[in-house]
C-alpha cells in the first residue's frame, strides 16, 4: 500500500495531478484545496495517499495533510459517500469546518459540497458525530491570519472531557476552541477548565 509520495509535480488537472517520482508518473486524484496547496508544475511536493480499489477501477487519492486523509477515510465510511463525493466535500470545506459541522450537526454546511443533498448531508453528520474524537485537525488560523497549532495537552484534555461524559465530537470542539483562546504554554488543568466552560455554553 502506498501511504505517501514525494516527487516533482509534472501535470495539474482539474481534479488530479501527475507526480513524477524518480521517473515514474503517478496519477493522483485530489481535492481542489490539495491541488492549490501543494504548488505548481515543476515544484517538489509530498502528498499523503490512499488507494481506492473497486471491481472496475483503481485510483490513488492524494492529500496535502494527514488530517485531510483521515477525514477522507471517515467520509467514505458513510453509506452513499464514495471517493468522488468525499473529495467534493474536502474541496468545499476545510477539515476544521467539517469537524465543526459534524460536532454541531450542521448538515447545511456539508450540503454545500457538489453532489451532496440534504439527506446525505444529514446521514454524514449523524454517522460521524461519535467518530471524530480521535481525528487531528489542521492548525487553526486565528485573528490576523496567525496560525495556531493545537497544544501538546489537547489530546489529554479531550480524553479528560470524554471521561466526564462528553461525546468525542463535543469534547474535541470544546478543546479546540479553548486551545485557540488560551494560546501557547497553557497547562492541562487550565485547558480542561476553559474547555468545560466552552462546552457548557
Amino acid at each position: 500500500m502506498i501511504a505517501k509520495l514525494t516527487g516533482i509535480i509534472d501535470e495539474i488537472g482539474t481534479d488530479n495531478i501527475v507526480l513524477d517520482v524518480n521517473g515514474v508518473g503517478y496519477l493522483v486524484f485530489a481535492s481542489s484545496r490539495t491541488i492549490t496547496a501543494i504548488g505548481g508544475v515543476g515544484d517538489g511536493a509530498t502528498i499523503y495517499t490512499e488507494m481506492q480499489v473497486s471491481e472496475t477501477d483503481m485510483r490513488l487519492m492524494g492529500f496535502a495533510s494527514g488530517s485531510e486523509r483521515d477525514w477522507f477515510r471517515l467520509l467514505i465510511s458513510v453509506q452513499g459517500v464514495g471517493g468522488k463525493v468525499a473529495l467534493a466535500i474536502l474541496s468545499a470545506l476545510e477539515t476544521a469546518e467539517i469537524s465543526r459541522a459534524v460536532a454541531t450537526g450542521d448538515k447545511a454546511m456539508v450540503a454545500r459540497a457538489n453532489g451532496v443533498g440534504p439527506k446525505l448531508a444529514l446521514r454524514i453528520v449523524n454517522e460521524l458525530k461519535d467518530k471524530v474524537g480521535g481525528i487531528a485537525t489542521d492548525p487553526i488560523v486565528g485573528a490576523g491570519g496567525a496560525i495556531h497549532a493545537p497544544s501538546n495537552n489537547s489530546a489529554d484534555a479531550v480524553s479528560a472531557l470524554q471521561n466526564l461524559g462528553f461525546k468525542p465530537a463535543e469534547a474535541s470542539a470544546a478543546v479546540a476552541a479553548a486551545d485557540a483562546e488560551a494560546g501557547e504554554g497553557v497547562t492541562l488543568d487550565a485547558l480542561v477548565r476553559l474547555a468545560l466552560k466552552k462546552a457548557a455554553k
Side-chain angles (χ1 to χ4, degrees):
M1 183 64 68
I2 300 169
K4 186 172 72 171
L5 291 170
T6 299
I8 304 297
I9 301 171
D10 203 34
E11 297 176 23
I12 296 178
T14 54
D15 64 351
N16 63 74
I17 66 162
V18 175
L19 192 67
D20 185 321
V21 181
N22 298 324
V24 178
Y26 289 86
L27 177 63
V28 182
F29 291 87
S31 70
S32 60
R33 290 181 186 276
T34 286
I35 291 172
T36 300
I38 62 170
V41 172
D43 290 342
T46 294
I47 194 161
Y48 297 86
T49 57
E50 178 82 358
M51 182 76 77
Q52 275 212 308
V53 181
S54 67
E55 292 180 3
T56 58
D57 195 17
M58 188 166 68
R59 291 189 172 201
L60 197 60
M61 304 298 193
F63 311 94
S65 67
S67 64
E68 188 187 19
R69 182 176 59 186
D70 289 341
W71 272 107
F72 177 84
R73 290 171 176 167
L74 266 182
L75 288 166
I76 62 174
S77 74
V78 177
Q79 183 183 358
V81 179
K84 188 174 182 181
V85 170
L87 288 183
I89 294 170
L90 290 166
S91 293
L93 302 170
E94 295 178 2
T95 54
E97 290 176 317
I98 303 173
S99 181
R100 194 158 57 245
V102 169
T104 59
D106 189 351
K107 66 181 189 295
M109 181 179 284
V110 179
R112 282 164 39 190
N114 289 332
V116 180
K119 286 185 179 179
L120 182 56
L122 180 61
R123 186 185 306 147
I124 289 168
V125 296
N126 283 344
E127 288 192 22
L128 296 186
K129 195 147 195 169
D130 291 326
K131 296 182 181 180
V132 299
I135 292 291
T137 55
D138 290 326
I140 298 165
V141 180
I147 291 179
H148 173 78
S151 73
N152 294 332
N153 291 322
S154 292
D156 290 335
V158 169
S159 178
L161 261 66
Q162 286 181 238
N163 290 337
L164 292 171
F166 289 93
K167 291 181 178 180
E170 294 172 335
S172 293
V175 170
D179 202 25
E181 182 177 310
E184 294 181 15
V186 63
T187 65
L188 177 58
D189 288 346
L191 185 59
V192 170
R193 282 198 298 271
L194 185 55
L196 284 170
K197 289 180 183 177
K198 296 288 184 184
K201 287 184 179 180

